[in-house]
Amino acid sequence: MKLLEAIVEANQRAAAGDPAASVRIADHAGALPVVALTCIDPRLNRLIPAALGIPDEDFIWLRNAGNIITGPLTSTLRSLALACAVKGGREIVILGHSDCQIQRLSALELAAAFQSMGLDCTRMPDGLADYFGLFASERQNVTRAAAFVRSSPLVAPHIPVHGLMIDIESGRLEWIVNGYQAAPEPKTAALASPADLEMAAPNPLPPVLAPLSLDAKVGDPAFGVEAWIARERAANTTPSPPVIPRPPPVIPKPSLRTGKLDTA
Ligand SMILES: [Zn+2]
């Protein structure tokens, strides 16, 4: 059993009342450190380290409002990528939680909140819901974030990318995406070729273990990796700038007077 599988199983046994449920994290040194993206909700400050049980020194923790990722090359993905490339992260977990306030927020409510702070929404980007990545389903949000990480050219294919949900009341973990099922064994070649870094063909998306939440407001065509790729392709089909002819290169000629090359 691999690290995250062992953690989730022990967590669920503990939640069911088994006092002996535990994981020997040291048995999984090859999976450490673990990199996690979670929400800014302060209720998670103690809950998540306790639920995962990974020692501080092996736990790299990123947080943003709603554990949202809006594309495979965003600022959050840069941090996840560097956590792996520079700090040696071996596995990535997108960790959503129940009762997320971001999930409850509509674009109108957000605009009203900004206006109540004296902010001028007309100076903000169009489409606040898209800009802030507001989501209707916590589970679907985790699935989408994990898919963006999995498809990112910044993250090596052999790094498992998981999606989990945590119950904010009980601390019980639940699988959304098991990244072990999508990650190939590590390559022996150290570096990807430039062709591997091409954006055109994203990696296969990880399987979703849990069905999407029935309360999801599915049907938003702007939601998901496919929609992002379509938008990027549309944005990249703008005509290229006109080609300006360059003057022919100056070829030095021998000077009639000296017989030497005259490069003036
Ligand atoms: Zn939250």
Side-chain angles (χ1 to χ4, degrees), residues 39-41 66-67 97 100-102:
C39 184
I40 56 172
D41 194 316
N67 44 271
H97 69 98
C100 184
Q101 307 302 301
I102 309 301

Side-chain angles (χ1 to χ4, degrees), residues 163-201:
L164 294 175
M165 283 288 295
I166 189 166
D167 186 299
I168 200 85
E169 297 293 334
S170 67
R172 187 180 188 276
L173 294 168
E174 179 189 351
W175 280 112
I176 303 295
V177 178
N178 183 332
Y180 297 126
Q181 298 179 358
E185 290 301 313
K187 283 183 185 176
T188 49
L191 294 173
S193 70
D196 290 339
L197 298 176
E198 285 290 326
M199 274 290 301

Side-chain angles (χ1 to χ4, degrees), residues 20 59 107-108 129 137 193 217 227:
F59 190 47
L108 282 177
S137 157
S193 70
K217 295 164 190 166

